[in-house]
Amino acid sequence: MATETLTKSDAITQSLRAAVDRNFNDQVAFLQRMVQFRSVRGEEAPQQEWLAQQFADRGYKVDTFSLADVDIASHPKAAPMDTIDPAGSMQVVATADSDGKGRSLILQGHIDVVPEGPVDLWGDPPYEAKVRDGWMIGRGAQDMKGGVSAMIFALDAIRTAGYAPDARVHVQTVTEEESTGNGALSTLMRGYRADACLIPEPTGHTLTRAQVGAVWFRLRVRGTPVHVAYSETGTSAILSAMHLIRAFEEYTKELNAQAVRDPWFGQVKNPIKFNVGIIKGGDWASSTAAWCELDCRLGLLTGDTPQEAMRGIEKCLADAQATDSFLSENPAELVWSGFQADPAVCEPGGVAEDVLTAAHKAAFNAPLDARLSTAVNDTRYYSVDYGIPALCYGPYGQGPHAFDERIDLESLRKTTLSIALFVAEWCGLRKL
């Protein structure tokens, strides 16, 4: 049969739908096991080893490698990893080879998760993966292990239905998405390419049309410690840090006032986000603080580059310190500590988007909507740096990075079907 006949056939659609349903209990159990791995930064290896075995059991050719194996720091778009050993950050690429004439595809998802925070503030234990009322609750269930399960079980459904993609497919599970993006970049440095890439981040069944960029930076502020009884004779690094925070808040307001000119985010309220995510400082409650460290994140819009954003950060810091008698003589140390991420746009009208639009409509009986994201995702490397059409599209959930993060299981089921239909049309199918 011709590829077009197969994938436009109602019989094929129904056979894939039935296969997704048949496998769904296994998929839920698979996702539960994934969530039970506490794959925070630097601790992802057990999760990746388990996934590598899962891929091997499915008959894929499996390549497991570390960021050190590709000399990640040598790439001009690599982001700093000042607290993580690249040799311990493992990536997995599983390949289903085919000598068919269909279009090749990368399915990619990250398995690193952000820390869970105080466990007592969760309604359910964050790594138990409790299923209740149609939801699975747990750290990473939404962001983005649910999407990872969808891309894996979409291919399983194709096999269950008696077919295989008629083109090469790379299934990739990566780290560092939450901090640098170096995991995705490493797969490209390793040589993995395709005619398109799909990343099933939890977009709520929408296509990410545009995403901001982001820069991470750390400020190391010093002070002069004295007994609090004589505090006027010393300085507090914590109070100096507060001065810098206020300066960056004002700078962000200026950036957002200019953002109305952005062709994609001009109608979005305050699309540039500044955040102080970590603060540490001081040694003693009765001493003025001798030190304080701030870990910060600032966004940037389409048309800007991380380098331009970094120069803006440097100027904001210099201007703020010039107005402070202590900081002007004792400037804070500025460290680039993670993301130096480009913004990216998925331009309308691409062939891959057309295929996804049709697949989504068949799975959800609804049109495919687009969204604008004030967060970042890995598609930027594929599209901006390597010229590979890259789609960010995945299931619905609630609470990314929050307590009681959860994914809607019915959404996951339909998204799995949508991805299976996308693979079938993009790659074509051959009978097993």
Side-chain angles (χ1 to χ4, degrees):
M1 282 187 192
T3 297
E4 181 175 348
T5 303
L6 276 174
T7 58
K8 292 186 181 298
S9 162
D10 287 341
I12 295 298
T13 299
Q14 292 309 314
S15 68
L16 290 177
R17 189 186 306 275
V20 168
D21 291 346
R22 190 177 312 135
N23 296 341
F24 195 64
N25 286 341
D26 290 340
Q27 183 176 350
V28 171
F30 184 98
L31 177 55
Q32 283 182 301
R33 185 67 190 98
M34 286 190 69
V35 173
Q36 288 162 2
F37 285 97
R38 187 177 182 271
S39 53
V40 295
R41 194 180 191 199
E43 300 178 24
E44 308 98 337
Q47 170 88 97
Q48 292 287 58
E49 291 168 2
W50 182 82
L51 282 166
Q53 186 60 56
Q54 295 295 313
F55 292 136
D57 291 346
R58 285 165 166 78
Y60 297 131
K61 178 183 177 182
V62 180
D63 181 18
T64 302
F65 61 95
S66 78
L67 296 185
D69 292 330
V70 296
D71 188 18
I72 192 70
S74 68
H75 197 285
K77 287 296 184 74
M81 296 176 61
D82 61 337
T83 61
I84 296 295
D85 179 7
S89 190
M90 306 306 298
Q91 319 304 312
V92 179
V93 178
T95 300
D97 279 319
S98 171
D99 57 3
K101 301 198 184 326
R103 294 167 291 202
S104 59
L105 179 64
I106 291 169
L107 296 171
Q108 189 259 66
H110 71 87
I111 54 83
D112 53 313
V113 301
V114 300
E116 65 277 8
V119 174
D120 62 316
L121 296 179
W122 284 71
D124 293 282
Y127 298 104
E128 188 173 293
K130 175 86 72 176
V131 173
R132 181 187 301 112
D133 300 326
W135 297 85
M136 184 183 295
I137 304 159
R139 175 59 84 228
Q142 181 200 18
D143 185 14
M144 65 164 291
K145 293 181 180 182
V148 171
S149 80
M151 69 189 195
I152 293 171
F153 275 79
L155 294 177
D156 284 1
I158 289 172
R159 181 177 299 181
T160 297
Y163 299 97
D166 199 28
R168 186 182 71 256
V169 178
H170 299 300
V171 185
Q172 304 174 347
T173 56
V174 303
T175 66
E176 286 292 304
E177 191 275 346
E178 299 285 6
S179 49
T180 63
N182 287 345
L185 179 59
S186 73
T187 65
L188 291 155
M189 293 177 67
R190 189 80 163 176
Y192 293 105
R193 306 284 195 279
D195 295 319
C197 172
L198 174 65
I199 299 181
E201 287 273 12
T203 66
H205 328 127
T206 64
L207 175 68
T208 301
R209 176 63 66 204
Q211 60 174 308
V212 301
V215 172
W216 274 14
F217 60 99
R218 180 175 299 127
L219 299 175
R220 292 176 174 155
V221 187
R222 290 178 291 174
T224 304
V226 296
H227 193 290
V228 67
Y230 314 104
S231 58
E232 64 275 8
T233 67
T235 60
S236 169
I238 293 174
L239 295 181
S240 293
M242 290 172 59
H243 171 71
L244 297 180
I245 291 171
R246 286 191 290 268
F248 275 101
E249 289 176 335
E250 290 303 312
Y251 177 54
T252 304
K253 290 179 182 178
E254 295 174 12
L255 294 175
N256 278 315
Q258 301 167 14
V260 294
R261 296 191 292 271
D262 186 272
W264 293 103
F265 290 91
Q267 301 301 312
V268 177
K269 183 178 180 180
N270 298 329
I272 296 181
K273 311 293 184 181
F274 167 69
N275 186 60
V276 181
I278 305 173
I279 183 167
K280 305 173 184 176
D283 301 298
W284 197 251
S286 291
S287 300
T288 57
W291 65 281
C292 185
E293 285 192 0
L294 308 172
D295 279 66
C296 308
R297 180 264 199 199
L298 184 69
L300 59 143
L301 295 181
T302 61
D304 295 334
T305 68
Q307 290 69 35
E308 290 170 333
M310 292 159 74
R311 301 297 81 79
I313 290 167
E314 290 173 337
K315 186 177 186 305
C316 177
L317 177 61
D319 290 348
Q321 293 182 143
T323 65
D324 182 274
S325 58
F326 179 78
L327 288 171
S328 62
E329 299 294 330
N330 302 272
E333 180 185 4
L334 172 61
V335 179
W336 306 116
S337 56
F339 280 124
Q340 294 177 8
D342 289 287
V345 175
C346 178
E347 295 289 351
V351 177
E353 180 180 338
D354 290 344
V355 173
L356 180 61
T357 298
H360 172 85
K361 184 176 181 180
F364 285 89
N365 194 29
L368 176 63
D369 293 326
R371 68 169 193 150
L372 302 174
S373 175
T374 53
V376 303
N377 67 70
D378 280 340
T379 54
R380 66 188 183 277
Y381 286 118
Y382 301 91
S383 61
V384 173
D385 298 306
Y386 286 84
I388 298 172
L391 307 172
C392 183
Y393 163 90
Y396 172 74
Q398 296 177 350
H401 296 209
F403 298 130
D404 298 324
E405 176 184 350
R406 62 190 62 205
I407 189 166
D408 182 320
L409 294 178
E410 184 57 28
S411 162
L412 181 64
R413 182 200 302 263
K414 290 181 179 178
T415 301
T416 303
L417 173 60
S418 184
I419 295 174
L421 293 168
F422 174 80
V423 173
E425 179 64 24
W426 182 259
C427 300
L429 296 180
R430 58 181 173 84
K431 286 188 174 181
L432 291 175

